[in-house]
Amino acid sequence: MASDTAHEAEHDPVRVLVFGASMRADSLNGRLASLVARLVERAGATADLAHMREFSMPVYDGDVESAEGLPPGALALHERIKACDAFVISAPEYNASVPGVLKNAVDWVSRVRPQPFKDKHALLVSASPSMVGGNRGLWALRVPLEHLGTRVYPDMFSLAKAHEGFTESGDLADSGLQERLADAADSFLRLVEADTRYVCLRRRWYEFLGDRTDAPVTQRAQD
């Protein structure tokens, strides 16, 4: 038992950026992000809680990029992503898709070289007043992230009727959903820890038809 403890002490806690991708100060997704950050900390990892309002940036324009470079907000978000082992995005759903402000942030940050999304693990969650939650938006969000090489966790969490879904303490009113979210966060963190802390336990990540089945780690070209 002592040897296991000593082995674990060699590694710092997994660091996770938990990003509330809504502009509103008291948004449902901001509240969900805060809850996920607490669950991450409870599981023994380190959470860096951030919100979209912290990263102001204009609509992406190649001419602006050429003339002025990347805006400070995009560079700041890049640094926060780069500093983490994994990230969680709590994203609202707009018209059954990704909010424009979030897609715009991904587009700007992806212009940094090397771009920071490649090979990062990501967990996607959402909160929506809709009866069906924000799951459609999360499916749309997977596309640009996976294109950039992010290893998006298969299980996604979407809280429907979210305006009625939180207790005063910030937990979920439905204990079953609270347990499911905690289990998803725990499982996600175990995967991240295995992939980033224990190289000998890395497993091949198959996502595209061109992935090499004999490679110890998938070779990617999203640089």
Side-chain angles (χ1 to χ4, degrees):
M1 187 70 175
S3 61
D4 289 344
T5 303
H7 181 67
E8 290 175 1
E10 296 175 4
H11 303 278
D12 293 329
V14 169
R15 183 174 177 83
V16 182
L17 174 66
V18 184
F19 185 57
S22 175
M23 293 295 290
R24 291 197 306 113
D26 189 31
S27 72
L28 295 171
N29 281 280
R31 295 168 70 180
L32 184 59
S34 296
L35 171 56
V36 172
R38 292 199 305 274
L39 294 174
V40 165
E41 296 274 359
R42 192 179 304 167
T46 299
D48 176 18
L49 181 62
H51 296 283
M52 183 67 77
R53 292 168 65 92
E54 301 174 44
F55 308 101
S56 177
M57 58 192 87
V59 174
Y60 178 76
D61 183 329
D63 290 338
V64 172
E65 180 186 7
S66 297
E68 304 175 14
L70 275 70
L75 293 173
L77 181 55
H78 161 263
E79 290 300 317
R80 300 280 281 274
I81 296 172
K82 181 181 176 182
C84 72
D85 298 301
F87 59 91
V88 180
I89 298 179
S90 181
E93 177 184 290
Y94 291 172
N95 296 317
S97 191
V98 185
V101 66
L102 175 56
K103 179 58 166 60
N104 185 60
V106 171
D107 291 342
W108 268 118
V109 173
S110 72
R111 300 297 295 168
V112 181
R113 292 294 180 271
Q115 58 91 355
F117 296 104
K118 183 178 183 294
D119 292 335
K120 294 286 187 182
H121 289 273
L123 173 65
L124 304 183
V125 301
S126 66
S128 171
S130 165
M131 291 291 289
V132 297
N135 212 46
R136 295 167 299 183
L138 296 185
W139 278 110
L141 178 57
R142 293 184 74 100
V143 176
L145 292 178
E146 290 179 339
H147 172 76
L148 292 167
T150 304
R151 299 177 173 185
V152 183
Y153 192 63
D155 190 19
M156 302 183 294
F157 179 88
S158 184
L159 179 65
K161 299 178 66 176
H163 58 296
E164 302 173 352
F166 293 93
T167 66
E168 291 185 3
S169 65
D171 290 330
L172 298 185
D174 186 317
S175 60
L177 289 177
Q178 175 86 9
E179 182 177 355
R180 181 179 166 237
L181 179 59
D183 287 346
D186 286 346
S187 297
F188 174 67
L189 291 172
R190 286 196 295 271
L191 174 64
V192 174
E193 184 176 25
D195 190 52
T196 61
R197 299 294 190 264
Y198 305 103
V199 177
C200 62
L201 297 180
R202 284 186 177 178
R203 299 182 179 181
R204 301 182 183 99
W205 185 274
Y206 302 119
E207 192 170 329
F208 305 109
L209 293 177
D211 281 353
R212 287 175 46 200
T213 57
D214 61 339
V217 180
T218 299
Q219 301 298 309
R220 295 182 177 275
Q222 298 91 336
D223 295 322

